Amino acid sequence: MKRKEFIATSGMLITAALLTGHAMKNGTHSTSPESPDKRRPDPGQFNEPVLKAITYALNAPNPHNTQAWKFRMINDKEVLFYVDETRLLPSTDPPARQIHIGCGSFIAVFRMAAHSLGYDATVDYLPEGNYSFAEVGRKPVAKLSLTPGAASADPIFKHVYSRQTNRGNYHGELVRDSEFASIIDLTKPQHATVALVNTKNKLEPLLKNLYRGMEVECYDWNAYDESRVWFRVKDDIAAKKDGINLRVNGVTGFKRWIAEAFLSGYSKKAWHDESSIVSYLKTYYDAVMSSKGVVTFTTASNELIDWLKAGEDYARFQFAAFDQGFYIHPLSQVLQEFPSMNELNQEFNQLVGIQAPAKVQMVVRIGRAKPLEYSYRRNTRDLLQA
């Protein structure tokens, strides 16, 4: 088969995982916080309470599954939490806003893990003050501390090993207001305003705008190539325990074998091939337009602390949605701050009625879908700094 023919017929397989960073194990929803397999580190290997909580929190959603987190232990119940500056996404996330949302997601799961272990979690945000992009990784995001308290497992914490970001097609009816209210009751958002769009007349133009965000990213060479850098195939998936891959996006069997063989060299030329991009975008469009609602997470300002706290609300929402039988998928390309996205971002803000200084920090689609394969996380000790 010629290269052009291969890409034209299976381009969607090659690029299907470009934004897949999170997954769940096959089967039905888990009701236990026990790790289902060796793809995630085991909290039971640690005696230190803070390392147990960190190990649970590594299961938090984060952009491109970069796991851009590092820690400096103070004692067995306290750590300083930093962004790992070697794992940023400079092309699609120039201010590291999305990376800090991922840090906020980590904090949310750390809190839940602490409670399940019989501790209260104290979070001292930005203990050395706000910092510039140049100081990312040098100044801490937060000081995380555990103090003894009554064990009070959060009802949504049982999904720590099973919640997922699901990029497949969604089925069923539009999300009802009552269903969304149940999710919010479990989420208990503390900082962001979380809103649902679930009427057809508003949903269709919004989804088309969000789809076009992926179009812009695909045809911005630097932005699209950033996904290639984080793409993993074959043995690299288990060896590196990070990034994005076809397997957590539901591609199986011979089709996966062919696609992984084709991309085993991570060729830039193959990645940016026009016919591959066109095929992927068709599949992506179908998935986006199958959405049963769109949820926005908006803050009144757009400061570093907003990014972190919005990330906490986002992580809890994903857990809560999963608890209620729903899956979500970030469609946040239109929120990204690289130049070619500016015009589409302005259109999005008009559609949702947001003006600066307010900022939509996350926008996701929501619906019911089939579960996907389970993804990896790095080993806890690899994230500890001397």
Side-chain angles (χ1 to χ4, degrees):
M1 182 183 292
K2 294 181 180 180
R3 176 175 170 275
K4 282 283 185 181
E5 293 172 342
F6 173 83
I7 297 176
T9 57
S10 60
M12 66 179 181
L13 299 177
I14 296 172
T15 53
L18 286 177
L19 293 179
T20 301
H22 329 289
M24 63 179 289
K25 68 175 183 177
N26 291 318
T28 57
H29 290 191
S30 170
T31 57
S32 168
E34 297 300 319
S35 178
D37 55 43
K38 295 182 179 179
R39 283 175 280 190
R40 301 288 176 96
D42 180 10
Q45 68 182 295
F46 298 107
N47 294 320
E48 302 90 342
V50 74
L51 292 184
K52 288 180 181 288
I54 285 174
T55 304
Y56 276 122
L58 294 181
N59 296 288
N62 65 101
H64 271 43
N65 196 22
T66 57
Q67 303 167 54
W69 307 314
K70 63 181 183 180
F71 309 91
R72 181 167 290 115
M73 285 190 68
I74 300 171
N75 54 55
D76 68 349
K77 295 183 181 66
E78 294 181 302
V79 295
L80 288 174
F81 175 28
Y82 298 81
V83 169
D84 184 341
E85 72 278 13
T86 69
R87 292 174 166 267
L88 301 179
L89 300 167
S91 294
T92 55
D93 186 28
R97 182 182 60 83
Q98 294 178 87
I99 289 290
H100 282 87
I101 289 173
C103 290
S105 294
F106 178 94
I107 290 171
V109 185
F110 181 89
R111 289 184 190 273
M112 288 190 278
H115 292 157
S116 75
L117 295 167
Y119 291 89
D120 292 324
T122 299
V123 180
D124 180 11
Y125 299 96
L126 307 172
E128 295 181 17
N130 276 308
Y131 50 77
S132 65
F133 182 83
E135 296 173 305
V136 169
R138 292 162 47 195
K139 288 189 174 182
V141 168
K143 179 182 177 183
L144 307 177
S145 305
L146 301 178
T147 54
S152 56
D154 194 301
I156 60 176
F157 181 66
K158 62 179 176 286
H159 303 303
V160 67
Y161 287 112
S162 52
R163 64 93 214 153
Q164 77 162 161
T165 296
N166 192 306
R167 292 172 170 80
N169 284 13
Y170 293 169
H171 58 79
E173 302 299 320
L174 294 178
V175 178
R176 296 192 296 269
D177 290 342
S178 59
E179 293 171 325
F180 182 69
S182 296
I183 297 172
I184 292 297
D185 284 345
L186 287 168
T187 304
K188 298 179 174 62
Q190 299 295 307
H191 190 71
T193 298
V194 187
L196 171 69
V197 178
N198 63 343
T199 57
K200 289 184 178 180
N201 64 321
K202 292 183 179 180
L203 196 55
E204 185 172 350
L206 184 56
L207 288 172
K208 288 182 176 179
N209 170 272
L210 295 169
Y211 159 76
R212 281 161 43 216
M214 178 57 78
E215 274 191 333
V216 170
E217 182 171 306
C218 284
Y219 288 105
D220 185 301
W221 201 95
N222 289 330
Y224 199 51
D225 200 61
E226 198 160 66
S227 291
R228 182 190 62 81
V229 171
W230 286 97
F231 188 73
R232 308 287 182 251
V233 298
K234 299 182 179 179
D235 293 344
D236 273 355
I237 297 171
K240 294 186 177 180
K241 300 180 186 298
D242 63 5
I244 51 184
N245 66 77
L246 291 172
R247 301 181 184 198
V248 297
N249 206 54
V251 182
T252 60
F254 183 70
K255 290 181 178 180
R256 187 179 74 193
W257 184 87
I258 289 291
E260 289 189 338
F262 187 78
L263 286 171
S264 60
Y266 306 105
S267 164
K268 292 184 180 181
K269 187 175 181 180
W271 192 264
H272 294 277
D273 186 274
E274 171 74 13
S275 57
S276 177
I277 292 174
V278 168
S279 181
Y280 168 64
L281 286 174
K282 181 181 183 304
T283 303
Y284 186 83
Y285 178 85
D286 291 343
V288 169
M289 298 310 293
S290 76
S291 304
K292 306 309 175 185
V294 167
V295 180
T296 56
F297 298 75
T298 306
T299 56
S301 55
N302 189 31
E303 305 297 330
L304 181 52
I305 191 64
D306 296 307
W307 306 345
L308 295 171
K309 291 188 175 183
E312 291 196 59
D313 289 337
Y314 165 68
R316 287 194 58 85
F317 182 89
Q318 187 176 78
F319 276 64
F322 189 89
D323 184 83
Q324 296 296 299
F326 293 96
Y327 302 87
I328 66 173
H329 168 200
L331 301 178
S332 293
Q333 286 75 29
V334 297
L335 307 180
Q336 294 172 160
E337 294 92 345
F338 57 93
S340 61
M341 197 65 74
N342 288 346
E343 183 177 345
L344 203 57
N345 175 256
Q346 292 174 9
E347 179 185 309
F348 169 81
N349 287 336
Q350 291 175 356
L351 285 170
V352 297
I354 296 297
Q355 294 183 340
K359 169 72 174 179
V360 176
Q361 300 294 345
M362 290 290 292
V363 56
V364 306
R365 66 188 186 104
I366 185 169
R368 293 178 172 87
K370 295 180 180 179
L372 302 176
E373 187 175 323
Y374 204 62
S375 64
Y376 282 84
R377 288 295 188 274
R378 294 193 294 153
N379 295 323
T380 305
R381 293 199 184 278
D382 294 340
L383 283 67
L384 302 179
Q385 307 293 298

PDB file of all heavy atoms in Angstrom, residues 342-369:
ATOM      1  N   ASN A 342      -6.677  33.492  18.063  1.00  0.00           N
ATOM      2  CA  ASN A 342      -7.285  34.701  18.633  1.00  0.00           C
ATOM      3  C   ASN A 342      -8.682  34.988  18.089  1.00  0.00           C
ATOM      4  O   ASN A 342      -9.609  35.284  18.841  1.00  0.00           O
ATOM      5  CB  ASN A 342      -6.378  35.907  18.386  1.00  0.00           C
ATOM      6  CG  ASN A 342      -5.131  35.872  19.246  1.00  0.00           C
ATOM      7  OD1 ASN A 342      -5.050  35.106  20.203  1.00  0.00           O
ATOM      8  ND2 ASN A 342      -4.141  36.675  18.887  1.00  0.00           N
ATOM      9  N   GLU A 343      -8.851  34.927  16.775  1.00  0.00           N
ATOM     10  CA  GLU A 343     -10.142  35.270  16.169  1.00  0.00           C
ATOM     11  C   GLU A 343     -11.236  34.310  16.625  1.00  0.00           C
ATOM     12  O   GLU A 343     -12.347  34.737  16.974  1.00  0.00           O
ATOM     13  CB  GLU A 343     -10.020  35.252  14.645  1.00  0.00           C
ATOM     14  CG  GLU A 343     -11.300  35.658  13.930  1.00  0.00           C
ATOM     15  CD  GLU A 343     -11.131  35.708  12.416  1.00  0.00           C
ATOM     16  OE1 GLU A 343      -9.972  35.708  11.939  1.00  0.00           O
ATOM     17  OE2 GLU A 343     -12.167  35.741  11.714  1.00  0.00           O
ATOM     18  N   LEU A 344     -10.939  33.035  16.633  1.00  0.00           N
ATOM     19  CA  LEU A 344     -11.931  32.045  17.043  1.00  0.00           C
ATOM     20  C   LEU A 344     -12.251  32.177  18.532  1.00  0.00           C
ATOM     21  O   LEU A 344     -13.389  31.967  18.951  1.00  0.00           O
ATOM     22  CB  LEU A 344     -11.412  30.645  16.732  1.00  0.00           C
ATOM     23  CG  LEU A 344     -12.466  29.542  16.564  1.00  0.00           C
ATOM     24  CD1 LEU A 344     -13.454  29.906  15.463  1.00  0.00           C
ATOM     25  CD2 LEU A 344     -11.794  28.215  16.271  1.00  0.00           C
ATOM     26  N   ASN A 345     -11.260  32.540  19.322  1.00  0.00           N
ATOM     27  CA  ASN A 345     -11.487  32.755  20.750  1.00  0.00           C
ATOM     28  C   ASN A 345     -12.465  33.911  20.980  1.00  0.00           C
ATOM     29  O   ASN A 345     -13.345  33.828  21.840  1.00  0.00           O
ATOM     30  CB  ASN A 345     -10.163  33.025  21.460  1.00  0.00           C
ATOM     31  CG  ASN A 345     -10.341  33.378  22.919  1.00  0.00           C
ATOM     32  OD1 ASN A 345     -10.228  34.533  23.317  1.00  0.00           O
ATOM     33  ND2 ASN A 345     -10.642  32.380  23.735  1.00  0.00           N
ATOM     34  N   GLN A 346     -12.328  34.962  20.206  1.00  0.00           N
ATOM     35  CA  GLN A 346     -13.245  36.096  20.334  1.00  0.00           C
ATOM     36  C   GLN A 346     -14.673  35.676  19.978  1.00  0.00           C
ATOM     37  O   GLN A 346     -15.644  36.074  20.633  1.00  0.00           O
ATOM     38  CB  GLN A 346     -12.785  37.241  19.437  1.00  0.00           C
ATOM     39  CG  GLN A 346     -11.485  37.878  19.899  1.00  0.00           C
ATOM     40  CD  GLN A 346     -10.962  38.920  18.914  1.00  0.00           C
ATOM     41  OE1 GLN A 346     -11.644  39.296  17.961  1.00  0.00           O
ATOM     42  NE2 GLN A 346      -9.734  39.378  19.135  1.00  0.00           N
ATOM     43  N   GLU A 347     -14.816  34.863  18.937  1.00  0.00           N
ATOM     44  CA  GLU A 347     -16.143  34.369  18.553  1.00  0.00           C
ATOM     45  C   GLU A 347     -16.740  33.504  19.660  1.00  0.00           C
ATOM     46  O   GLU A 347     -17.931  33.615  19.976  1.00  0.00           O
ATOM     47  CB  GLU A 347     -16.039  33.552  17.267  1.00  0.00           C
ATOM     48  CG  GLU A 347     -17.362  32.969  16.803  1.00  0.00           C
ATOM     49  CD  GLU A 347     -17.192  32.080  15.592  1.00  0.00           C
ATOM     50  OE1 GLU A 347     -16.568  32.532  14.605  1.00  0.00           O
ATOM     51  OE2 GLU A 347     -17.690  30.932  15.622  1.00  0.00           O
ATOM     52  N   PHE A 348     -15.906  32.651  20.260  1.00  0.00           N
ATOM     53  CA  PHE A 348     -16.384  31.806  21.361  1.00  0.00           C
ATOM     54  C   PHE A 348     -16.882  32.662  22.520  1.00  0.00           C
ATOM     55  O   PHE A 348     -17.959  32.412  23.077  1.00  0.00           O
ATOM     56  CB  PHE A 348     -15.264  30.886  21.836  1.00  0.00           C
ATOM     57  CG  PHE A 348     -15.582  30.164  23.120  1.00  0.00           C
ATOM     58  CD1 PHE A 348     -16.361  29.016  23.109  1.00  0.00           C
ATOM     59  CD2 PHE A 348     -15.120  30.637  24.341  1.00  0.00           C
ATOM     60  CE1 PHE A 348     -16.677  28.353  24.295  1.00  0.00           C
ATOM     61  CE2 PHE A 348     -15.423  29.986  25.524  1.00  0.00           C
ATOM     62  CZ  PHE A 348     -16.208  28.839  25.495  1.00  0.00           C
ATOM     63  N   ASN A 349     -16.120  33.671  22.904  1.00  0.00           N
ATOM     64  CA  ASN A 349     -16.517  34.533  24.015  1.00  0.00           C
ATOM     65  C   ASN A 349     -17.852  35.221  23.745  1.00  0.00           C
ATOM     66  O   ASN A 349     -18.672  35.399  24.662  1.00  0.00           O
ATOM     67  CB  ASN A 349     -15.427  35.568  24.294  1.00  0.00           C
ATOM     68  CG  ASN A 349     -14.207  34.965  24.950  1.00  0.00           C
ATOM     69  OD1 ASN A 349     -14.285  33.910  25.603  1.00  0.00           O
ATOM     70  ND2 ASN A 349     -13.063  35.600  24.788  1.00  0.00           N
ATOM     71  N   GLN A 350     -18.099  35.601  22.492  1.00  0.00           N
ATOM     72  CA  GLN A 350     -19.386  36.198  22.139  1.00  0.00           C
ATOM     73  C   GLN A 350     -20.516  35.182  22.270  1.00  0.00           C
ATOM     74  O   GLN A 350     -21.608  35.506  22.761  1.00  0.00           O
ATOM     75  CB  GLN A 350     -19.334  36.746  20.712  1.00  0.00           C
ATOM     76  CG  GLN A 350     -18.426  37.972  20.559  1.00  0.00           C
ATOM     77  CD  GLN A 350     -18.291  38.410  19.111  1.00  0.00           C
ATOM     78  OE1 GLN A 350     -18.805  37.763  18.193  1.00  0.00           O
ATOM     79  NE2 GLN A 350     -17.595  39.520  18.898  1.00  0.00           N
ATOM     80  N   LEU A 351     -20.261  33.945  21.860  1.00  0.00           N
ATOM     81  CA  LEU A 351     -21.287  32.905  21.937  1.00  0.00           C
ATOM     82  C   LEU A 351     -21.694  32.612  23.379  1.00  0.00           C
ATOM     83  O   LEU A 351     -22.862  32.333  23.653  1.00  0.00           O
ATOM     84  CB  LEU A 351     -20.782  31.621  21.269  1.00  0.00           C
ATOM     85  CG  LEU A 351     -20.740  31.621  19.736  1.00  0.00           C
ATOM     86  CD1 LEU A 351     -19.998  30.386  19.231  1.00  0.00           C
ATOM     87  CD2 LEU A 351     -22.153  31.656  19.160  1.00  0.00           C
ATOM     88  N   VAL A 352     -20.735  32.657  24.301  1.00  0.00           N
ATOM     89  CA  VAL A 352     -21.051  32.331  25.698  1.00  0.00           C
ATOM     90  C   VAL A 352     -21.267  33.578  26.550  1.00  0.00           C
ATOM     91  O   VAL A 352     -21.575  33.472  27.739  1.00  0.00           O
ATOM     92  CB  VAL A 352     -19.952  31.435  26.324  1.00  0.00           C
ATOM     93  CG1 VAL A 352     -19.884  30.109  25.600  1.00  0.00           C
ATOM     94  CG2 VAL A 352     -18.598  32.130  26.334  1.00  0.00           C
ATOM     95  N   GLY A 353     -21.110  34.771  25.951  1.00  0.00           N
ATOM     96  CA  GLY A 353     -21.395  36.016  26.662  1.00  0.00           C
ATOM     97  C   GLY A 353     -20.393  36.363  27.743  1.00  0.00           C
ATOM     98  O   GLY A 353     -20.778  36.836  28.817  1.00  0.00           O
ATOM     99  N   ILE A 354     -19.105  36.146  27.465  1.00  0.00           N
ATOM    100  CA  ILE A 354     -18.055  36.421  28.448  1.00  0.00           C
ATOM    101  C   ILE A 354     -17.170  37.563  27.966  1.00  0.00           C
ATOM    102  O   ILE A 354     -16.759  37.607  26.794  1.00  0.00           O
ATOM    103  CB  ILE A 354     -17.187  35.159  28.678  1.00  0.00           C
ATOM    104  CG1 ILE A 354     -18.018  34.042  29.293  1.00  0.00           C
ATOM    105  CG2 ILE A 354     -15.982  35.489  29.565  1.00  0.00           C
ATOM    106  CD1 ILE A 354     -18.578  34.354  30.653  1.00  0.00           C
ATOM    107  N   GLN A 355     -16.883  38.495  28.857  1.00  0.00           N
ATOM    108  CA  GLN A 355     -15.982  39.604  28.561  1.00  0.00           C
ATOM    109  C   GLN A 355     -14.893  39.679  29.634  1.00  0.00           C
ATOM    110  O   GLN A 355     -15.141  39.364  30.799  1.00  0.00           O
ATOM    111  CB  GLN A 355     -16.739  40.932  28.513  1.00  0.00           C
ATOM    112  CG  GLN A 355     -17.734  41.045  27.365  1.00  0.00           C
ATOM    113  CD  GLN A 355     -18.405  42.415  27.315  1.00  0.00           C
ATOM    114  OE1 GLN A 355     -18.430  43.146  28.306  1.00  0.00           O
ATOM    115  NE2 GLN A 355     -18.946  42.765  26.162  1.00  0.00           N
ATOM    116  N   ALA A 356     -13.701  40.086  29.212  1.00  0.00           N
ATOM    117  CA  ALA A 356     -12.607  40.290  30.154  1.00  0.00           C
ATOM    118  C   ALA A 356     -13.033  41.326  31.204  1.00  0.00           C
ATOM    119  O   ALA A 356     -13.806  42.240  30.900  1.00  0.00           O
ATOM    120  CB  ALA A 356     -11.360  40.749  29.417  1.00  0.00           C
ATOM    121  N   PRO A 357     -12.563  41.156  32.464  1.00  0.00           N
ATOM    122  CA  PRO A 357     -11.504  40.255  32.904  1.00  0.00           C
ATOM    123  C   PRO A 357     -11.939  38.821  33.166  1.00  0.00           C
ATOM    124  O   PRO A 357     -11.128  37.987  33.554  1.00  0.00           O
ATOM    125  CB  PRO A 357     -11.022  40.909  34.192  1.00  0.00           C
ATOM    126  CG  PRO A 357     -12.249  41.544  34.760  1.00  0.00           C
ATOM    127  CD  PRO A 357     -13.008  42.056  33.561  1.00  0.00           C
ATOM    128  N   ALA A 358     -13.245  38.500  32.997  1.00  0.00           N
ATOM    129  CA  ALA A 358     -13.682  37.120  33.183  1.00  0.00           C
ATOM    130  C   ALA A 358     -13.026  36.235  32.128  1.00  0.00           C
ATOM    131  O   ALA A 358     -12.674  36.695  31.036  1.00  0.00           O
ATOM    132  CB  ALA A 358     -15.200  37.028  33.085  1.00  0.00           C
ATOM    133  N   LYS A 359     -12.873  34.956  32.459  1.00  0.00           N
ATOM    134  CA  LYS A 359     -12.218  34.030  31.545  1.00  0.00           C
ATOM    135  C   LYS A 359     -12.849  32.646  31.683  1.00  0.00           C
ATOM    136  O   LYS A 359     -13.013  32.137  32.797  1.00  0.00           O
ATOM    137  CB  LYS A 359     -10.723  33.940  31.874  1.00  0.00           C
ATOM    138  CG  LYS A 359      -9.965  32.816  31.184  1.00  0.00           C
ATOM    139  CD  LYS A 359      -9.757  33.066  29.696  1.00  0.00           C
ATOM    140  CE  LYS A 359      -8.869  31.989  29.078  1.00  0.00           C
ATOM    141  NZ  LYS A 359      -8.679  32.189  27.624  1.00  0.00           N
ATOM    142  N   VAL A 360     -13.220  32.056  30.554  1.00  0.00           N
ATOM    143  CA  VAL A 360     -13.604  30.644  30.557  1.00  0.00           C
ATOM    144  C   VAL A 360     -12.314  29.837  30.626  1.00  0.00           C
ATOM    145  O   VAL A 360     -11.513  29.858  29.686  1.00  0.00           O
ATOM    146  CB  VAL A 360     -14.429  30.263  29.316  1.00  0.00           C
ATOM    147  CG1 VAL A 360     -14.729  28.758  29.315  1.00  0.00           C
ATOM    148  CG2 VAL A 360     -15.721  31.057  29.266  1.00  0.00           C
ATOM    149  N   GLN A 361     -12.110  29.158  31.739  1.00  0.00           N
ATOM    150  CA  GLN A 361     -10.864  28.416  31.938  1.00  0.00           C
ATOM    151  C   GLN A 361     -10.898  27.038  31.287  1.00  0.00           C
ATOM    152  O   GLN A 361      -9.878  26.527  30.833  1.00  0.00           O
ATOM    153  CB  GLN A 361     -10.578  28.272  33.436  1.00  0.00           C
ATOM    154  CG  GLN A 361     -10.423  29.580  34.188  1.00  0.00           C
ATOM    155  CD  GLN A 361      -9.202  30.377  33.752  1.00  0.00           C
ATOM    156  OE1 GLN A 361      -8.307  29.867  33.080  1.00  0.00           O
ATOM    157  NE2 GLN A 361      -9.149  31.638  34.155  1.00  0.00           N
ATOM    158  N   MET A 362     -12.075  26.420  31.263  1.00  0.00           N
ATOM    159  CA  MET A 362     -12.241  25.113  30.640  1.00  0.00           C
ATOM    160  C   MET A 362     -13.606  25.068  29.963  1.00  0.00           C
ATOM    161  O   MET A 362     -14.579  25.634  30.468  1.00  0.00           O
ATOM    162  CB  MET A 362     -12.173  23.982  31.681  1.00  0.00           C
ATOM    163  CG  MET A 362     -10.811  23.743  32.299  1.00  0.00           C
ATOM    164  SD  MET A 362      -9.613  23.039  31.148  1.00  0.00           S
ATOM    165  CE  MET A 362     -10.291  21.394  30.887  1.00  0.00           C
ATOM    166  N   VAL A 363     -13.672  24.378  28.834  1.00  0.00           N
ATOM    167  CA  VAL A 363     -14.947  24.084  28.198  1.00  0.00           C
ATOM    168  C   VAL A 363     -14.899  22.614  27.782  1.00  0.00           C
ATOM    169  O   VAL A 363     -13.926  22.156  27.187  1.00  0.00           O
ATOM    170  CB  VAL A 363     -15.227  25.018  26.992  1.00  0.00           C
ATOM    171  CG1 VAL A 363     -14.109  24.972  25.957  1.00  0.00           C
ATOM    172  CG2 VAL A 363     -16.571  24.669  26.348  1.00  0.00           C
ATOM    173  N   VAL A 364     -15.933  21.873  28.145  1.00  0.00           N
ATOM    174  CA  VAL A 364     -15.960  20.437  27.882  1.00  0.00           C
ATOM    175  C   VAL A 364     -17.293  20.040  27.276  1.00  0.00           C
ATOM    176  O   VAL A 364     -18.311  20.696  27.488  1.00  0.00           O
ATOM    177  CB  VAL A 364     -15.713  19.611  29.172  1.00  0.00           C
ATOM    178  CG1 VAL A 364     -14.431  20.043  29.864  1.00  0.00           C
ATOM    179  CG2 VAL A 364     -16.895  19.723  30.143  1.00  0.00           C
ATOM    180  N   ARG A 365     -17.281  18.971  26.517  1.00  0.00           N
ATOM    181  CA  ARG A 365     -18.540  18.367  26.087  1.00  0.00           C
ATOM    182  C   ARG A 365     -18.873  17.231  27.048  1.00  0.00           C
ATOM    183  O   ARG A 365     -17.988  16.693  27.726  1.00  0.00           O
ATOM    184  CB  ARG A 365     -18.453  17.873  24.642  1.00  0.00           C
ATOM    185  CG  ARG A 365     -17.494  16.735  24.390  1.00  0.00           C
ATOM    186  CD  ARG A 365     -17.367  16.471  22.882  1.00  0.00           C
ATOM    187  NE  ARG A 365     -16.559  15.289  22.620  1.00  0.00           N
ATOM    188  CZ  ARG A 365     -17.038  14.102  22.258  1.00  0.00           C
ATOM    189  NH1 ARG A 365     -18.347  13.944  22.114  1.00  0.00           N
ATOM    190  NH2 ARG A 365     -16.240  13.084  22.031  1.00  0.00           N
ATOM    191  N   ILE A 366     -20.135  16.874  27.124  1.00  0.00           N
ATOM    192  CA  ILE A 366     -20.586  15.888  28.094  1.00  0.00           C
ATOM    193  C   ILE A 366     -21.616  14.967  27.437  1.00  0.00           C
ATOM    194  O   ILE A 366     -22.373  15.383  26.565  1.00  0.00           O
ATOM    195  CB  ILE A 366     -21.182  16.574  29.345  1.00  0.00           C
ATOM    196  CG1 ILE A 366     -21.552  15.544  30.424  1.00  0.00           C
ATOM    197  CG2 ILE A 366     -22.365  17.464  28.992  1.00  0.00           C
ATOM    198  CD1 ILE A 366     -21.903  16.172  31.768  1.00  0.00           C
ATOM    199  N   GLY A 367     -21.607  13.709  27.853  1.00  0.00           N
ATOM    200  CA  GLY A 367     -22.571  12.739  27.355  1.00  0.00           C
ATOM    201  C   GLY A 367     -22.247  11.352  27.869  1.00  0.00           C
ATOM    202  O   GLY A 367     -21.370  11.175  28.723  1.00  0.00           O
ATOM    203  N   ARG A 368     -22.947  10.363  27.339  1.00  0.00           N
ATOM    204  CA  ARG A 368     -22.707   8.968  27.701  1.00  0.00           C
ATOM    205  C   ARG A 368     -21.903   8.310  26.588  1.00  0.00           C
ATOM    206  O   ARG A 368     -22.126   8.583  25.406  1.00  0.00           O
ATOM    207  CB  ARG A 368     -24.028   8.231  27.925  1.00  0.00           C
ATOM    208  CG  ARG A 368     -24.806   8.725  29.138  1.00  0.00           C
ATOM    209  CD  ARG A 368     -26.133   7.985  29.298  1.00  0.00           C
ATOM    210  NE  ARG A 368     -26.782   8.329  30.560  1.00  0.00           N
ATOM    211  CZ  ARG A 368     -27.588   9.364  30.744  1.00  0.00           C
ATOM    212  NH1 ARG A 368     -27.838  10.179  29.734  1.00  0.00           N
ATOM    213  NH2 ARG A 368     -28.133   9.588  31.914  1.00  0.00           N
ATOM    214  N   ALA A 369     -20.993   7.398  26.973  1.00  0.00           N
ATOM    215  CA  ALA A 369     -20.129   6.774  25.976  1.00  0.00           C
ATOM    216  C   ALA A 369     -19.628   5.438  26.488  1.00  0.00           C
ATOM    217  O   ALA A 369     -19.841   5.079  27.650  1.00  0.00           O
ATOM    218  CB  ALA A 369     -18.949   7.693  25.656  1.00  0.00           C
TER     219      ALA A 369
END
